[in-house]
Amino acid sequence: MAQSNELTLAEVAQRLDARAVAAADRLYVAVAGGLVSDLLSYVMANGRPGQVWITIQTHPNIVAVATLARLAGVLIASGFQPNQTTIARADEEGIPILVSPDPAFVLAGKLWEMGVR
Amino acid sequence: MGDKPLAHLEYPVLGRAYFLGGRASTSLRRALLQAGVEEDVLQRVCVACYEAEMNVVLHARTGYMSVDVWPDRVEVCVTDHGPGIEDVELAMQPGYSTASEEARSLGFGAGMGLPNIRQHADELAIESKVGEGVRLVMTFWRGGRRDGSEQ
């Protein structure tokens, strides 16, 4: 659970006007930083627990990566939509997926301004 | 020490099934948590196993992951039936990849897999027979690396 001074994924979603499409019951976790990448190996090597991952990848493998790297959730940029298989697997693993029409650069900027480091 | 591991786990891995990739490693993560493997060791095993699993998915026809949990270490063996690696030394270089365009467009095959494995496993042995397949053996020491260095 989040400390009072930490942003949760739910607050991030609200302030970004991003929509939760999977594991919406797991949004009340603290966000501990973030990373932006569309290369899965990069995220495996550099992702840290609690981070939010901004990507335009939408296939089910993003759920495996987020699970194994213990990320807080995945934020899909530029209006890309995950398919039903991805959503089902994210629900199963408890990995929240947020989607936003904003591009990754804008999302990262907004998160930074919110104090996510 | 007994000659039987505390836990023995096996997972099949299907070649070309990009979207099933990572399932074996995710199941393994759950099993290792239950087996009481320490968080830092677990994390390293997960990164290395995910990469090894995806290598099978991207390059081989079929394979399996076999894991033994010992009191002092976790041993993972990933064996596949596939084309093998022609030049292991070259394949170990960051950025070198023979993955298809399709795989790359999905964010795989950036030539980071084997380097990631080498970085996260304490010991790594690769046996390759061109036209037959690859056998990867990884050891992860519990309670710190044996060479005394930190990650």
Side-chain angles (χ1 to χ4, degrees):
Chain A
M1 260 315 136
Q3 305 282 315
S4 57
N5 58 340
E6 287 172 317
L7 272 180
T8 63
L9 214 49
E11 289 171 87
V12 165
Q14 193 187 5
R15 288 165 73 170
L16 291 175
D17 202 14
R19 198 161 50 89
V21 294
D25 56 326
R26 300 289 288 267
L27 292 176
Y28 294 92
V29 293
V31 175
L35 82 169
V36 186
S37 182
D38 299 321
L39 286 179
L40 284 79
S41 286
Y42 178 87
V43 179
M44 283 307 295
N46 298 287
R48 295 289 169 261
Q51 286 183 331
V52 59
W53 170 25
I54 304 173
T55 183
I56 55 168
Q57 298 290 357
T58 58
H59 54 75
N61 216 286
I62 60 173
V63 179
V65 170
T67 304
L68 292 167
R70 295 173 58 220
L71 306 178
V74 185
L75 175 52
I76 299 179
S78 296
F80 287 93
Q81 299 290 330
N83 62 31
Q84 283 308 313
T85 311
T86 303
I87 291 172
R89 202 165 303 168
D91 281 332
E92 192 183 314
E93 295 292 342
I95 295 291
I97 296 181
L98 306 175
V99 295
S100 165
D102 288 337
F105 180 79
V106 172
L107 290 173
K110 286 182 177 175
L111 282 166
W112 188 268
E113 281 186 345
M114 283 179 211
V116 176
R117 297 286 190 269
Chain B
M1 191 197 303
D3 55 1
K4 267 192 160 180
L6 303 173
H8 175 77
L9 308 150
E10 287 201 17
Y11 304 91
V13 182
L14 209 60
R16 301 287 151 198
Y18 296 134
F19 300 148
L20 290 178
R23 292 224 103 170
S25 302
T26 309
S27 303
L28 172 64
R29 182 186 156 77
R30 242 176 262 128
L32 291 182
L33 260 177
Q34 279 182 351
V37 172
E38 304 75 8
E39 189 58 46
D40 59 319
V41 180
L42 183 64
Q43 204 53 27
R44 293 193 290 120
V45 172
C46 282
V47 173
C49 285
Y50 173 79
E51 296 292 2
E53 181 182 353
M54 286 315 299
N55 276 348
V56 175
V57 173
L58 295 176
H59 301 288
R61 292 187 303 278
T62 175
Y64 70 91
M65 186 185 288
S66 156
V67 183
D68 285 322
V69 182
W70 297 89
D72 61 343
R73 67 191 187 282
V74 177
E75 272 180 4
V76 182
C77 178
V78 181
T79 310
D80 71 44
H81 301 287
I85 303 172
E86 273 190 41
D87 186 337
V88 173
E89 206 178 314
L90 188 60
M92 292 297 290
Q93 288 181 15
Y96 179 82
S97 175
T98 57
S100 67
E101 274 307 310
E102 184 194 8
R104 286 170 203 249
S105 71
L106 295 168
F108 305 113
M112 296 170 73
L114 286 173
N116 265 357
I117 293 172
R118 182 164 55 184
Q119 191 190 337
H120 288 86
D122 292 316
E123 289 165 32
L124 168 65
I126 302 175
E127 291 166 35
S128 166
K129 275 192 187 150
V130 173
E132 289 184 29
V134 179
R135 183 179 146 89
L136 212 81
V137 182
M138 304 177 272
T139 305
F140 305 84
W141 292 104
R142 304 174 70 178
R145 294 182 176 214
R146 281 303 156 93
D147 62 4
S149 70
E150 286 302 312
Q151 224 184 308

